[in-house]
């Protein structure tokens, strides 16, 4: 389990295809603190550390993960948001994040508002109305592993505000209009939606 509070970013050093899987070598300041078999969130995707050295480590994403996230679009030299799993005695500064991306979204607009940035996103509605993901005004959303608050919540689109610290310490500064992002919707909202769907 994660909180959506990004600890640092990592640099993609190498990508190797093995069958339908991709193995990523990530250089990061977190590497000396990692262990093999540890879970780390990469742009909001929970992946397991499979090997490491003094400055970099490797993780593997399977085909299903690559199809449902933006990891398959990563290239050598790209940066990713990193967060280690939540310690049992840790503080929840973000919200409950599982590291299981619900679906991809797309950045549709970026606006500099003199000290912060407004980012607009949209996502596909899905075929089954009962299973469609939704956002709630002032609710939580996880975008590329970053815990954020939603506003201007509409059908299949929403907006977030990015403060300078988040902009400078995550991959939000790399985002461009049209880029694909990983979306994990609020787990409480998903459970409530599923519960009430059964009463229709």
């Amino acid at each position: 389990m994660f909180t959506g509070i990004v600890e640092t970013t990592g640099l993609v050093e190498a990508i190797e295809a093995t069958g339908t899987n991709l193995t990523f070598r990530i250089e990061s300041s977190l590497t000396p603190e990692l262990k093999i078999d540890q879970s780390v969130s990469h742009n909001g995707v929970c992946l397991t550390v499979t090997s490491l050295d003094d400055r970099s480590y490797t993780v593997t994403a399977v085909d299903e993960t690559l199809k449902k996230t933006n990891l398959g679009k990563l290239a050598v030299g790209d940066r990713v948001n990193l967060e280690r799993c939540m310690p049992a005695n840790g503080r929840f500064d973000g919200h409950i994040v599982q590291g299981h991306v619900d679906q991809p979204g797309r950045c549709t607009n970026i606006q500099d508002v003199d000290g912060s940035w407004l980012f607009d996103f949209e996502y596909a509605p899905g075929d089954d109305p009962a299973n469609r993901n939704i956002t709630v005004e002032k609710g939580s959303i996880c975008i590329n592993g970053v815990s954020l608050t939603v506003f201007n919540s509409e059908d299949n689109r929403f907006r977030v505000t990015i403060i300078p610290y988040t902009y400078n310490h995550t991959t939000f500064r790399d985002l461009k209009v049209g880029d694909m992002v990983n979306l994990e919707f609020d787990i409480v909202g998903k459970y409530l939606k599923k519960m009430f769907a059964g009463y229709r």
Side-chain angles (χ1 to χ4, degrees):
M1 185 169 61
F2 306 93
T3 67
I5 303 300
V6 171
E7 294 183 75
T8 188
T9 58
L11 183 72
V12 179
E13 282 191 328
I15 303 173
E16 181 181 351
T18 306
T20 58
N21 301 338
L22 287 180
T23 295
F24 300 92
R25 176 164 288 279
I26 309 292
E27 179 185 356
S28 168
S29 60
L30 288 181
T31 302
E33 302 177 48
L34 299 180
K35 300 182 298 183
I36 291 176
D37 290 337
Q38 187 170 358
S39 296
V40 179
S41 170
H42 298 74
N43 278 358
V45 183
C46 179
L47 298 174
T48 302
V49 175
T50 56
S51 68
L52 49 80
D53 57 31
D54 291 339
R55 63 184 186 84
S56 61
Y57 64 92
T58 60
V59 292
T60 298
V62 299
D63 184 54
E64 179 72 6
T65 300
L66 297 172
K67 287 178 178 176
K68 291 187 175 180
T69 71
N70 63 10
L71 296 189
K73 297 183 180 298
L74 289 176
V76 172
D78 285 348
R79 296 188 309 131
V80 291
N81 294 323
L82 302 177
E83 181 192 356
R84 289 170 293 176
C85 55
M86 172 76 172
N89 63 345
R91 185 189 301 275
F92 261 109
D93 290 322
H95 71 282
I96 298 173
V97 176
Q98 295 180 298
H100 302 156
V101 172
D102 292 304
Q103 68 177 97
R106 187 174 67 89
C107 179
T108 58
N109 190 57
I110 302 171
Q111 184 181 353
D112 185 336
V113 288
D114 192 24
S116 59
W117 290 262
L118 301 178
F119 282 78
D120 291 287
F121 296 94
E122 66 179 13
Y123 55 96
D127 299 326
D128 184 356
N131 293 324
R132 287 177 182 169
N133 292 308
I134 60 170
T135 58
V136 177
E137 192 74 13
K138 300 301 187 288
S140 298
I141 187 77
C142 189
I143 304 174
N144 278 353
V146 182
S147 173
L148 295 164
T149 300
V150 170
F151 73 104
N152 283 15
S153 174
E154 301 177 18
D155 289 343
N156 312 315
R157 59 177 55 88
F158 62 92
R159 174 177 284 182
V160 295
T161 301
I162 303 299
I163 62 173
Y165 183 88
T166 303
Y167 187 85
N168 291 321
H169 289 83
T170 71
T171 60
F172 266 94
R173 65 181 178 181
D174 302 329
L175 269 183
K176 301 180 296 296
V177 171
D179 281 354
M180 176 181 168
V181 296
N182 298 325
L183 299 178
E184 181 179 332
F185 294 81
D186 182 67
I187 188 171
V188 176
K190 287 190 288 188
Y191 277 119
L192 287 173
K193 185 173 183 295
K194 191 74 171 179
M195 286 171 55
F196 286 111
Y199 291 102
R200 292 182 179 179

